[in-house]
């Protein structure tokens, strides 16, 4: 698998992949298309807070990685949030998810890596646990 940073000409590909992600069982609910459009615009304008990488095989986009960057006093440095890790279903269960996580850990040095997973997403949870990720006993809150 090859990893390529998202470019302005990749909008249709990104929108299709992000839409598929938000229509999958990996998320609680879909997001408005405007959110996907806003994210794409931010990713193209700057990479200060977020980056997106397309995962390709033989020139075909088979998934993507959306990374958010933040600083944490608790962890003593930069934190890489794996916001979204999506792989088309036909490519799952073949080691590609492991390859995607390895890419993130190698290319985004951080004192901590964080991610979220739906409790029902057993395959993703198995992957993350196998790679050394552990569940945090936090309750998260959100205000929109």
């Amino acid at each position: 698998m090859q990893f390529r940073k998202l470019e302005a000409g990749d909008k249709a590909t990104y929108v299709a992949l992000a839409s598929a992600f938000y229509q999958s069982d990996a998320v609680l609910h879909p997001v408005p298309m405007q959110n996907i459009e806003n994210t794409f615009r931010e990713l193209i304008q700057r990479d200060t807070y977020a980056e997106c990488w397309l995962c390709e095989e033989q020139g075909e986009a088979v998934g993507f990685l959306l990374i958010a960057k933040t600083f944490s006093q608790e962890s003593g440095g930069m934190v890489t949030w794996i916001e979204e890790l999506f792989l088309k279903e036909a490519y799952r269960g073949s080691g590609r998810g492991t390859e995607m996580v390895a890419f993130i850990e190698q290319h985004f040095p951080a004192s901590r890596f964080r991610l979220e997973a739906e409790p029902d997403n057993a395959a993703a949870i198995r992957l993350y646990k196998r790679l050394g990720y552990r569940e945090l006993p936090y309750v998260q809150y959100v205000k929109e």
Side-chain angles (χ1 to χ4, degrees):
M1 186 164 20
Q2 296 81 41
F3 298 90
R4 180 174 63 79
K5 196 167 182 182
L6 189 74
E7 299 173 352
D10 295 321
K11 184 175 183 180
T13 299
Y14 174 75
V15 168
L17 291 169
S19 295
F21 175 75
Y22 277 101
Q23 293 170 14
S24 75
D25 293 339
V27 296
L28 284 173
H29 55 79
V31 298
M33 182 56 69
Q34 187 61 51
N35 290 13
I36 294 172
E37 298 272 346
N38 292 347
T39 300
F40 180 80
R41 189 170 41 258
E42 177 68 23
L43 292 166
I44 296 306
Q45 288 177 354
R46 67 189 136 257
D47 65 4
T48 306
Y49 304 108
E51 289 188 35
C52 182
W53 292 74
L54 294 178
C55 308
E56 298 178 326
E57 290 201 1
Q58 299 175 355
E60 177 192 355
V62 299
F64 75 99
L65 302 166
L66 181 59
I67 306 302
K69 307 168 194 176
T70 188
F71 187 90
S72 168
Q73 181 164 274
E74 180 180 329
S75 70
M78 292 302 296
V79 174
T80 296
W81 272 89
I82 304 171
E83 285 286 335
E84 295 169 13
L85 185 154
F86 177 73
L87 192 58
K88 290 180 179 178
E89 192 159 349
Y91 296 88
R92 296 177 192 162
S94 60
R96 291 175 177 96
T98 299
E99 190 176 345
M100 293 167 82
V101 173
F103 174 84
I104 294 166
E105 292 176 355
Q106 291 169 5
H107 288 84
F108 294 92
S111 61
R112 175 178 286 169
F113 294 90
R114 287 190 72 165
L115 53 84
E116 298 173 341
E118 273 296 300
D120 294 338
N121 195 346
I125 291 170
R126 277 193 309 275
L127 169 68
Y128 303 140
K129 285 183 175 181
R130 184 172 49 77
L131 296 177
Y133 287 75
R134 60 181 173 81
E135 187 175 345
L136 288 174
Y138 290 118
V139 175
Q140 292 192 347
Y141 299 88
V142 64
K143 180 178 180 181
E144 296 177 345

